[in-house]
Amino acid sequence: MMKHKLLYLLLTILLAGVFTPLAAKDEPTAQERRQWVEEMQNYKKEYIAKALQLTDDQKAKFFPLYIAMDNELRAINDQVRKEVRAVAGKKAAATDADYARAAELMYNAKAREGAVEKKYYDKFKTILTPRQLFELKRAEHRLAKEMMQHSQKSDKPKPKPTKKK
C-alpha cells in the first residue's frame, strides 16, 4: 500500500512538472508580449523603409510618429478585445448593458482608428512625399497579407506520412 502511495505521489509530481510549463506557455507573459511587439515593430519598420525607399532623415522623423500611431491603434484594439472577452466570459450572466457597451466599442473601433490615422496622416505629410504616403497604405496591406499567409502556413497541421503498399 505504501508503494502505491509513493508511486502516486511521484506520478503527481512528475505530471505537475511536465504540464505546468506547458499550461504557462498558453498565455505569453507581459515581457514576452512586449518583446514580440518590439520585434514586430522593428520588422515593420524595415519593411516600410524599404518599400517607401525612405532616406535616413525621413526614417529618423517618420518612425517615432509611426510607432506612436501604431501604439495608439493597438490600445484601441486591446480595449475592445478586453471588453469582448469580459462579456463573453460572463456567458449567461452578461446583461444587456454589458452587451451594449461591448457592441458600441466594437462598432466605434474603426472610427476611432480612422481618427488616429487621420491625425498622423497630417503629420506624415510633412515628412513623406505624396507618392510615399500613397505607398505607405499599400505596403501595410502587403505586409499584413504576407503575415497572414505565413501564419496560415505555420498553423496548418503537418500531413501524416502515407504508408507504402
Side-chain angles (χ1 to χ4, degrees):
M1 184 72 171
M2 187 64 161
K3 285 184 180 179
H4 291 294
K5 286 184 180 179
L6 186 58
L7 181 61
Y8 178 73
L9 181 62
L10 287 173
L11 280 173
T12 303
I13 292 170
L14 178 65
L15 290 175
V18 169
F19 289 113
T20 301
L22 292 176
K25 282 298 177 192
D26 288 348
E27 282 293 320
T29 65
Q31 181 181 356
E32 289 171 331
R33 179 159 166 71
R34 276 192 301 275
Q35 182 180 356
W36 181 85
V37 167
E38 188 177 318
E39 288 172 5
M40 287 304 303
Q41 286 178 336
N42 287 336
Y43 181 77
K44 205 171 178 180
K45 284 167 46 175
E46 290 174 24
Y47 188 93
I48 289 171
K50 184 177 177 183
L52 302 183
Q53 300 175 345
L54 298 177
T55 66
D56 289 341
D57 186 49
Q58 285 177 311
K59 289 178 196 176
K61 293 175 183 175
F62 173 73
F63 283 120
L65 292 172
Y66 187 79
I67 296 304
M69 179 185 76
D70 198 45
N71 290 338
E72 284 186 45
L73 294 173
R74 188 175 321 95
I76 292 168
N77 288 307
D78 287 349
Q79 179 191 20
V80 172
R81 193 170 24 261
K82 181 180 176 184
E83 185 66 28
V84 168
R85 285 182 180 157
V87 171
K90 289 181 179 182
K91 298 183 181 174
T95 65
D96 282 348
D98 294 330
Y99 285 118
R101 187 176 52 255
E104 180 142 357
L105 279 173
M106 291 165 60
Y107 282 93
N108 288 332
K110 291 290 182 199
R112 291 173 59 201
E113 289 173 352
V116 168
E117 287 187 339
K118 175 64 173 122
K119 175 178 79 172
Y120 282 94
Y121 168 76
D122 290 336
K123 294 175 183 183
F124 295 162
K125 285 193 306 189
T126 65
I127 302 165
L128 303 176
T129 67
R131 182 183 181 129
Q132 288 171 322
L133 282 167
F134 175 80
E135 290 297 330
L136 174 59
K137 278 294 177 196
R138 296 183 70 207
E140 289 175 327
H141 287 287
R142 280 193 309 270
L143 177 60
K145 185 178 177 180
E146 287 176 21
M147 291 174 71
M148 289 293 289
Q149 288 172 341
H150 177 74
S151 174
Q152 288 170 350
K153 284 179 186 175
S154 63
D155 289 346
K156 287 183 182 176
K158 303 218 180 337
K160 294 180 182 177
T162 56
K163 294 180 182 178
K164 292 184 179 179
K165 293 183 181 181

